[in-house]
Amino acid sequence: MLSLRGGVVRTTISQIAEVSGYSPATVDRVLNDRAGVRSRTRDAILQTAHELGYFGLASAYGPPEVEMDFLLPAGDNTFMLLLRKFIIEEATKYAGIKPRLHLYEDFNPEHLAERLLELQGHTDAVAIVMPDHPSIREAVNRLVIGGIHVATLVSDLPSLNKIGYVGVDNRAAGRLAGLLTGRFLRDDREHDVAVFIGFASYRGHEEREMGFRSILAQDYPHLRIRDIVQVNDDRERAYEETQRLLMNEPPAAIYNIGAGNQGIARALRDAGASPVFIAHDLTEATKGMLMDRTLDAVIDQNPRVEAREVIKLLASAVRGACEPSYPPRLQVVFRENIPVV
């Protein structure tokens, strides 16, 4: 039986499983948008979830309207393009949600802080993907003092009065990348590794580098990080930097922490080089790189799940509810297990 707390229907995976007749594990796979579920089963579970109010946060009088703002980086980063798309799509599943996207190209922290403060008095909730900087953290805390609910998305920020973070454990993601690199280069010879960083000011990128370094030092001391290249998630810059690396002594492995995979792959194809290449986020572009073996493995986080969960988190906070959270999970994708969507 569904429980009511504060006038709000709280729906759980177990309740959806009981009503739909499918196992909790299958329901969990559908709600986390993972592969391996028949379309008919997926549709039935999603229909049950809708009917039980999982996507609606329904109350006896209908849910109050929530104005929700999302501040995300602009540009052609494929993962961010997907995240923007899914935010709009997922928001339509929730009654009373009014999403607004704000895209920024200027990474100046003072300017970003100003953009945050401009939302005072004009929104109920804010989700941000932003660099880690004192000015940004102070602006967020001022929003919270003003009664606005704030969540971090994809990359966390410390020391904030936020309601939560929605995203993967980025340090664990970096350790996973290091494990894969070490397993691919198991001959115990010394090898040079190149690390590409999108923006060092993103805490998520910093945490991935820390995780990668830690497992190489711990388990694979024969692998040496020779080059650390910041490319600002720019494909052309990634292409040029990869060309530069390949002109001298090519690294045995490349780990790309952020965006720019298409630039790296193009340089590798042009040079006919085939180092171990580990990257993040499964997109149509990285699927193609896996298929032609330019890319060895992708560490994926699910942008649709992240969009859904941050909307649920913010809407619940504004409406005084306590919604269960299903955080996104890390998944390693190889050429042989590319999910069929």
Side-chain angles (χ1 to χ4, degrees):
M1 182 174 181
L2 299 183
S3 62
L4 282 171
R5 184 170 298 177
V8 178
V9 178
R10 301 179 64 216
T11 308
T12 67
I13 280 182
S14 296
Q15 291 161 345
I16 297 171
E18 182 179 354
V19 174
S20 68
Y22 294 98
S23 70
T26 302
V27 172
D28 180 76
R29 293 189 71 82
V30 171
L31 294 180
N32 283 283
D33 198 34
R34 296 198 299 275
V37 181
R38 295 177 180 176
S39 59
R40 182 183 301 176
T41 301
R42 185 181 299 274
D43 291 344
I45 290 173
L46 289 175
Q47 179 63 32
T48 301
H50 277 286
E51 292 172 355
L52 294 180
Y54 179 83
F55 296 112
L57 297 171
S59 74
Y61 301 99
E65 186 173 83
V66 176
E67 294 189 342
M68 199 175 290
D69 290 80
F70 299 83
L71 277 78
L72 310 171
D76 58 2
N77 179 329
T78 308
F79 176 81
M80 285 298 168
L81 290 173
L82 288 172
L83 184 61
R84 296 174 213 163
K85 172 178 177 285
F86 292 141
I87 284 172
I88 299 301
E89 288 185 4
E90 292 297 312
T92 63
K93 299 177 181 178
Y94 292 81
I97 302 296
K98 290 182 61 178
R100 291 186 293 255
L101 296 182
H102 306 267
L103 307 182
Y104 61 85
E105 295 181 351
D106 182 359
F107 280 77
N108 182 302
E110 305 295 338
H111 295 167
L112 291 175
E114 291 174 4
R115 293 196 65 172
L116 280 168
L117 294 175
E118 288 172 357
L119 296 174
Q120 287 180 310
H122 301 288
T123 189
D124 298 305
V126 176
I128 61 172
V129 181
M130 282 191 170
D132 185 3
H133 189 273
S135 296
I136 293 172
R137 294 198 298 270
E138 178 61 23
V140 168
N141 287 330
R142 286 176 62 183
L143 290 182
V144 173
I145 291 171
I148 297 172
H149 300 276
V150 180
T152 51
L153 181 61
V154 179
S155 180
D156 198 10
L157 297 176
S159 307
L160 290 183
N161 294 320
K162 60 183 184 289
I163 61 169
Y165 160 65
V166 176
V168 297
D169 181 335
N170 283 298
R171 189 179 178 93
R175 288 181 62 84
L176 182 55
L179 173 66
L180 291 168
T181 303
R183 298 293 288 180
F184 275 113
L185 299 172
R186 295 185 61 188
D187 56 14
D188 291 331
R189 290 182 299 160
E190 290 191 355
H191 291 290
D192 289 333
V193 177
V195 176
F196 283 65
I197 299 177
F199 288 94
S201 56
Y202 277 141
R203 187 173 181 85
H205 288 190
E206 180 185 35
E207 289 173 343
R208 289 178 185 178
E209 182 194 356
M210 291 168 58
F212 187 78
R213 282 182 177 278
S214 87
I215 198 164
L216 259 58
Q218 174 185 323
D219 294 340
Y220 304 104
H222 64 290
L223 302 183
R224 179 173 67 97
I225 298 177
R226 188 189 70 193
D227 300 279
I228 297 179
V229 184
Q230 180 166 320
V231 296
N232 296 340
D233 284 350
D234 184 281
R235 292 175 189 169
E236 287 305 314
R237 186 166 176 178
Y239 174 76
E240 293 166 2
E241 291 292 344
T242 306
Q243 282 188 315
R244 179 184 62 79
L245 291 177
L246 296 176
M247 286 175 62
N248 301 310
E249 289 187 36
I254 292 175
Y255 170 41
N256 186 27
I257 285 174
N261 292 318
Q262 295 181 60
I264 296 171
R266 180 158 60 95
L268 294 177
R269 293 182 188 116
D270 288 352
S274 56
V276 171
F277 182 15
I278 310 294
H280 287 268
D281 304 326
L282 188 66
T283 66
E284 289 304 316
T286 53
K287 286 180 186 177
M289 297 172 209
L290 288 170
M291 289 303 299
D292 69 11
R293 301 188 187 277
T294 303
L295 190 56
D296 292 284
V298 171
I299 300 170
D300 189 40
Q301 58 183 326
N302 194 315
R304 182 184 290 280
V305 171
E306 291 180 342
R308 185 193 72 210
E309 291 302 316
V310 78
I311 291 168
K312 279 180 58 182
L313 179 68
L314 291 171
S316 298
V318 172
R319 292 167 174 166
C322 181
E323 283 293 308
S325 177
Y326 302 102
R329 301 173 182 176
L330 291 170
Q331 178 184 11
V332 181
V333 181
F334 302 98
R335 185 175 185 267
E336 288 74 19
N337 71 324
I338 296 174
V340 178
V341 181

